[in-house]
């Protein structure tokens, strides 16, 4: 009988930032595929809601309050997960995002850059992926196998105006993805994979102000993005799920160090 390469029902998958717009969509989907989903987030209220939603649909999940910038909390999370399930197969580093203070306004320039906000956005997006990787890869290495999926962004591939800090951080996430693919495979063997998803433009809470006016109409920036997107529309959160499933599953067994772009053609297109 042919093996189903996409069967992920035995996987224990940890998702940081799992209560976010994209993270929760991922958690619900993966639980729907039979995987055990461990949601780590600093928002305990949303965490409890998400756990209940997964439970109602018959899925297996655990919510743990966390902070991706605090190594000792992450180590406690690791201990709790191993106690409950005995292993961690996959880590999805989905905590991240831009911050309003780190965006350069249209009437500002680089000389107005708020360095504190710049550092915060790099902290969350870069170190908020590096630290969980260090902590959870330890359990993977001890088990002899593991799979890490980072979330980069279109801004990692091409600098976008106004979001210097976010772009720098996501470019570093893309670089770290490739670095870790080599690091884990060279030092611990071919049972370890590290890849990233690079979502294009999806309207969510973190970019709504940049892309829409209060009445819902598109800003000039949104129109410019759409003019540069061969599909001519923004992505829907659920359109990331197939690519995520592929990276989580054995269908991508020989894939490591790749950045899988999901953007309606934005990155491929010039004029
Ligand atoms: N939304 C988009 O269009 C888009 C595009 C490209 C990439 N991304 C990336 O996808 C990922 C998910 O984006 P999203 O839109 O779901 O973001 P979101 O803002 O909706 O969710 C982020 C989640 O992370 C949690 N979080 C924040 N700081 C944390 C911390 N220190 N410790 C633990 N949890 C923390 C928040 O509570 C929230 O639940 C991010 O890395 C983002 O940069 C998003």
């Amino acid at each position: 009988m042919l093996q189903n390469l996409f069967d992920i029902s035995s996987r224990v998958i940890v998702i940081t930032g799992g209560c976010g717009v994209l993270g929760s969509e991922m958690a619900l989907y993966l639980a729907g595929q039979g995987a055990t989903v461990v949601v780590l987030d600093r928002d305990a209220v949303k965490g409890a809601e998400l756990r209940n939603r997964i439970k109602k649909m018959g899925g297996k999940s655990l919510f743990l309050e966390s902070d991706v910038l605090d190594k000792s909390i992450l180590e406690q999370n690791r201990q709790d997960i191993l106690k409950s399930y005995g292993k961690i197969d996959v880590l999805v580093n989905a905590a991240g995002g831009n911050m309003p203070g780190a965006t350069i306004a249209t009437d500002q320039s680089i000389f107005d850059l708020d360095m504190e906000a710049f550092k915060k956005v790099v902290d969350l997006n870069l170190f908020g992926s590096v630290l969980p990787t260090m902590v959870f890869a330890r359990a993977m290495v001890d088990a002899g196998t593991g799979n890490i999926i980072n979330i980069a962004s279109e801004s990692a591939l091409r600098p976008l105006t106004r979001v210097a800090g976010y772009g720098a951080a996501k470019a570093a996430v893309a670089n770290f993805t490739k670095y870790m693919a080599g690091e884990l495979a060279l030092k611990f063997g071919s049972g370890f994979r590290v890849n990233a998803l690079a979502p294009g433009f999806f309207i969510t809470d973190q970019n709504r102000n940049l892309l829409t006016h209060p009445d819902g109409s598109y800003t000039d920036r949104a129109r410019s993005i759409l003019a540069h997107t061969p599909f001519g529309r923004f992505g829907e959160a659920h359109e990331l799920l197939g690519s995520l499933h592929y990276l989580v599953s054995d269908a991508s067994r020989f894939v490591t160090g790749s950045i899988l772009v999901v953007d309606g053609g934005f990155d491929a297109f010039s004029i």
Side-chain angles (χ1 to χ4, degrees):
M1 201 170 71
L2 267 181
Q3 183 196 357
N4 176 3
L5 291 172
F6 290 91
D7 180 4
I8 57 170
S9 57
S10 65
R11 306 281 151 95
V12 175
I13 304 173
V14 175
I15 308 182
T16 71
C19 295
V21 176
L22 301 183
S24 58
E25 195 87 20
M26 291 175 182
L28 287 161
Y29 174 78
L30 294 170
Q33 296 300 309
T36 300
V37 176
V38 181
V39 172
L40 302 185
D41 204 289
R42 61 181 182 184
D43 191 329
V45 174
K46 280 192 182 167
E49 277 167 21
L50 182 58
R51 191 191 47 214
N52 288 341
R53 281 180 73 188
I54 293 175
K55 196 172 169 194
K56 261 193 202 145
M57 59 184 227
K60 297 166 281 189
S61 79
L62 175 69
F63 171 74
L64 296 174
E65 209 169 328
S66 188
D67 182 348
V68 291
L69 297 174
D70 187 322
K71 196 169 180 210
S72 61
I73 294 179
L74 291 165
E75 284 170 344
Q76 182 62 52
N77 294 151
R78 180 182 64 198
Q79 199 176 316
D80 293 345
I81 299 164
L82 292 176
K83 201 168 155 202
S84 297
Y85 303 115
K87 63 171 186 166
I88 297 167
D89 296 306
V90 183
L91 166 67
V92 182
N93 281 313
N98 191 27
M99 294 168 188
T103 302
I104 297 176
T106 40
D107 58 350
Q108 291 180 321
S109 75
I110 189 69
F111 305 113
D112 302 301
L113 188 65
D114 175 344
M115 276 311 292
E116 282 314 305
F118 191 107
K119 281 182 189 163
K120 267 193 190 156
V121 95
V122 173
D123 263 347
L124 176 61
N125 288 280
L126 177 58
F127 300 119
S129 298
V130 172
L131 267 181
T133 296
M134 282 176 72
V135 171
F136 296 112
R138 181 74 262 168
M140 294 174 180
V141 166
D142 290 346
T145 174
N147 181 357
I148 298 172
I149 299 163
N150 294 322
I151 311 295
S153 154
E154 196 71 62
S155 62
L157 313 171
R158 295 166 168 238
L160 305 178
T161 55
R162 302 184 58 193
V163 291
Y166 182 67
K170 289 299 194 186
V173 167
N175 185 282
F176 181 65
T177 300
K178 295 185 180 197
Y179 173 82
M180 281 304 296
E183 170 76 8
L184 288 182
L186 290 170
K187 302 212 174 123
F188 303 104
S190 61
F192 299 92
R193 305 193 290 117
V194 186
N195 293 288
L197 284 176
F201 297 89
F202 297 71
I203 296 188
T204 57
D205 292 344
Q206 62 180 260
N207 59 17
R208 199 175 306 281
N209 289 341
L210 280 172
L211 301 180
T212 59
H213 295 299
D215 67 1
S217 61
Y218 288 151
T219 60
D220 288 348
R221 186 178 181 83
R223 278 196 287 273
S224 167
I225 290 166
L226 294 181
H228 192 88
T229 304
F231 277 15
R233 65 174 176 85
F234 291 104
E236 306 277 345
H238 65 85
E239 290 175 308
L240 281 174
L241 300 176
S243 301
L244 175 72
H245 191 154
Y246 165 71
L247 289 179
V248 166
S249 75
D250 280 349
S252 58
R253 241 178 96 86
F254 199 54
V255 178
T256 195
S258 76
I259 313 286
L260 182 40
V261 182
V262 186
D263 70 350
F266 185 99
D267 184 54
F269 180 61
S270 169
I271 50 169

